[in-house]
Amino acid sequence: MTHSEIDELILRRLSAGDANPILVADFQALSLAPRMSEMLSESVQDRPVFQIDPIGVLTGSRRYVPLPELAATCVDEFLRFGADRGPAFVVGHCSAAALTLRVADLLASSRPVTAVLVQPAWPDDELVADKFAEYLSKFGKATRACPELNGDPEQVVAEMEQIFRDEMNALAASRDLAGSMAAFSDLLVWYRGWLAFLLACRNDTSTDRAAARAAVTVMSDSPSTVTARGLSKDAYQVCELSTPQPAGKVTRELADIVAAYIESH
């Protein structure tokens, strides 16, 4: 896959505007629910909104891309869109927090940038293994263990994919579902891409930040326990969400809260 093909998959412009841009890291779930970026593009109409979706890259020919490379690609393409002046906001929900922070720090070398981490989650061994088991269960009652995560990342993702493929083929054979293999294959590749992204976040253990680092705001309904990996408590601002939010889900209310914060700053 060429660099330009990666760019095309990783970044989209959702709305126009002359004011300070908003860059949102979010991913297409297996549903028709609106994404944070889409809802912000409707709520904050005077600002250009850009959407980062690295899962498109990770469901292509590359099984694994390290987080710093994903972040650098996002920044390069963002600047090529002409969004190279003025303050910017980089928004990330849940597991997008690590990518959001890296993108924001890279952009902060040449402009004021605020990273807005919404209900941040920091993927670790447990989360990756739990997601692997959850996706594996979609193909039946298989109980195969998650591959060892400390090996070569490309090989780890390849092993995950092969386990899914074995169970998918077994399910299709047992239920005479040969005609559904294309749909199963699309699902398998999406699972692989999401696990590859979580693995990249899990592997991104460096706490070094760019010298001209971004300001960081963390939005959470659990302000006393929320953390930002690699940052001391005095390195970020915490904004308490007014009402509890469902874990891992983007709601219209949550998007409106983020939009109001951006508008007020």
Side-chain angles (χ1 to χ4, degrees):
M1 181 176 290
T2 67
H3 186 74
S4 61
E5 287 171 331
I6 291 177
D7 295 343
E8 183 178 350
L9 288 168
I10 208 168
L11 188 71
R12 287 198 304 144
R13 184 168 184 157
L14 299 181
S15 65
D18 297 324
N20 304 329
I22 303 168
L23 187 57
V24 185
D26 65 354
F27 321 108
Q28 183 60 62
L30 294 177
S31 73
L32 297 178
R35 301 160 77 167
M36 173 72 79
S37 55
E38 294 165 348
M39 288 189 279
L40 285 179
S41 70
E42 297 169 358
S43 300
V44 190
Q45 296 183 358
D46 62 334
R47 300 173 188 250
V49 176
F50 297 82
Q51 176 194 84
I52 304 173
D53 188 352
I55 304 303
V57 174
L58 298 168
T59 55
S61 59
R62 298 188 68 179
R63 285 192 177 93
Y64 180 83
V65 181
L67 204 67
E69 183 178 342
L70 284 173
T73 302
C74 292
V75 170
D76 288 348
E77 182 64 3
F78 181 60
L79 297 178
R80 276 199 291 273
F81 265 99
D84 55 355
R85 298 179 303 278
F89 289 88
V90 186
V91 179
H93 175 252
C94 197
S95 296
L99 177 61
T100 299
L101 195 55
R102 276 201 171 273
V103 169
D105 276 350
L106 288 174
L107 286 172
S109 64
S110 60
R111 66 204 297 172
V113 177
T114 300
V116 183
L117 310 181
V118 186
Q119 297 280 70
W122 308 95
D124 54 13
D125 287 17
E126 182 179 4
L127 178 59
V128 176
D130 285 349
K131 281 297 178 183
F132 173 84
E134 176 187 334
Y135 296 155
L136 186 61
S137 71
K138 305 298 183 182
F139 299 112
K141 296 182 179 180
T143 57
R144 297 176 67 176
C146 179
E148 168 58 48
L149 300 179
N150 289 323
D152 176 75
E154 289 268 3
Q155 185 60 35
V156 172
V157 176
E159 290 179 19
M160 290 178 174
E161 181 178 16
Q162 188 58 54
I163 291 172
F164 288 151
R165 196 169 299 282
D166 291 344
E167 296 304 322
M168 178 187 76
N169 290 335
L171 175 63
S174 68
R175 300 189 182 180
D176 193 23
L177 297 173
S180 302
M181 290 301 287
F184 277 135
S185 294
D186 289 345
L187 188 65
L188 182 153
V189 171
W190 190 92
Y191 289 161
R192 185 198 81 192
W194 183 237
L195 286 166
F197 177 72
L198 295 180
L199 184 64
C201 294
R202 175 261 188 195
N203 291 343
D204 188 49
T205 57
S206 172
T207 58
D208 294 336
R209 300 186 65 203
R213 60 192 181 188
V216 180
T217 294
V218 176
M219 307 185 79
S220 173
D221 55 13
S222 302
S224 63
T225 58
V226 69
T227 61
R229 188 169 67 189
L231 278 67
S232 61
K233 283 288 188 180
D234 60 356
Y236 55 92
Q237 174 187 5
V238 178
C239 292
E240 182 175 4
L241 297 173
S242 55
T243 57
Q245 298 293 317
K249 293 184 179 180
V250 176
T251 64
R252 170 61 67 177
E253 179 186 22
L254 184 59
D256 287 345
I257 292 171
V258 175
Y261 172 84
I262 291 173
E263 291 281 38
S264 68
H265 291 75

